[in-house]
Amino acid sequence: MKKIVSVLMVAVALMMVAPAQAQLIKFGVKGGMNFSKLDTNVKSWSDAVDSSTGFFIGPMAEVTLPIIGLGVDGALMYSQRGSGEVKQEGLEIPVNLKWSFGFGSMLGAYLAAGPDFFFNFKDIDVAAFKTKRTQVAINLGVGLKLLRKLQVGVTYQIPMGDSFEWKDVVSKVANGTKTKTLQVSAAYIF
């Protein structure tokens, strides 16, 4: 009889642990707006240098350790940055270390940081101007978690290299241009 009770207790404990393990990884969809600014001294790009708007959307995954709130989130998103002749379109893969903390079961906040990889689909190769195929940036972000399913946040991307390369026709000197981007996002977690 003791063995049967022990086996039942172990079975009940395992059934209680299984749902907790299933909650470690969550999937969702993320989208929002890119507000980009080019860091350049090219005068003919004055409309793109000031500020330009694009969007991003795609699936995401989040793994969080429940007690300490530390985890990793990643996404695979179609992203647009810039406008006009300097518009970039491509695949963006942010991977962030995320620390979440709660103000109750229905409201929480998070801080996030990590690398962002951008693979440009749209190749611009005009006379003295060329787009870089890959770009790496560092993300710094904050946000709110609402009603356990919705996340809203703001992320600033600090570029680690140039987004564009252009050659000054007069001086024949190669110059680089960085795309600095502020992202405003919303995510729904299933």
Side-chain angles (χ1 to χ4, degrees):
M1 184 71 171
K2 286 183 181 179
K3 288 183 181 181
I4 294 173
V5 171
S6 297
V7 169
L8 286 174
M9 293 293 283
V10 169
V12 168
L14 287 174
M15 285 190 289
M16 293 174 75
V17 169
Q21 292 295 328
Q23 295 300 318
L24 286 179
I25 186 164
K26 298 175 184 173
F27 296 97
V29 64
K30 183 176 187 177
M33 300 296 293
N34 285 325
F35 300 98
S36 302
K37 182 174 182 174
L38 296 180
D39 185 12
T40 184
N41 59 1
V42 180
K43 304 295 184 227
S44 64
W45 295 350
S46 62
D47 59 334
V49 171
D50 292 338
S51 184
S52 57
T53 306
F55 71 93
F56 60 94
I57 189 164
M60 70 168 285
E62 180 178 73
V63 178
T64 306
L65 300 173
I67 296 173
I68 59 175
L70 195 60
V72 175
D73 81 343
L76 186 64
M77 303 181 298
Y78 170 77
S79 183
Q80 287 183 343
R81 302 175 182 176
S83 66
E85 64 183 16
V86 291
K87 185 175 190 175
Q88 297 174 293
E89 297 177 30
L91 180 67
E92 184 173 351
I93 306 172
V95 180
N96 294 312
L97 182 64
K98 187 186 263 187
W99 178 54
S100 302
F101 47 95
F103 302 116
S105 64
M106 302 300 268
L107 179 65
Y110 67 85
L111 300 172
D116 183 271
F117 305 98
F118 183 79
F119 300 95
N120 196 12
F121 295 155
K122 187 176 178 185
D123 192 23
I124 303 169
D125 194 359
V126 182
F129 175 76
K130 188 175 183 182
T131 306
K132 298 277 184 155
R133 288 300 226 174
T134 58
Q135 300 164 36
V136 178
I138 298 296
N139 286 336
L140 298 174
V142 296
L144 291 175
K145 293 184 173 189
L146 309 166
L147 306 172
R148 297 183 188 167
K149 299 281 187 186
L150 184 64
Q151 296 180 11
V152 292
V154 176
T155 303
Y156 183 67
Q157 295 177 345
I158 302 166
M160 300 304 293
D162 294 334
S163 304
F164 303 99
E165 187 177 272
W166 59 278
K167 203 176 269 188
D168 189 348
V169 249
V170 177
S171 65
K172 305 283 191 222
V173 175
N175 294 299
T177 300
K178 297 178 187 286
T179 304
K180 296 179 179 178
T181 305
L182 180 72
Q183 291 185 326
V184 178
S185 65
Y188 182 79
I189 308 297
F190 304 117

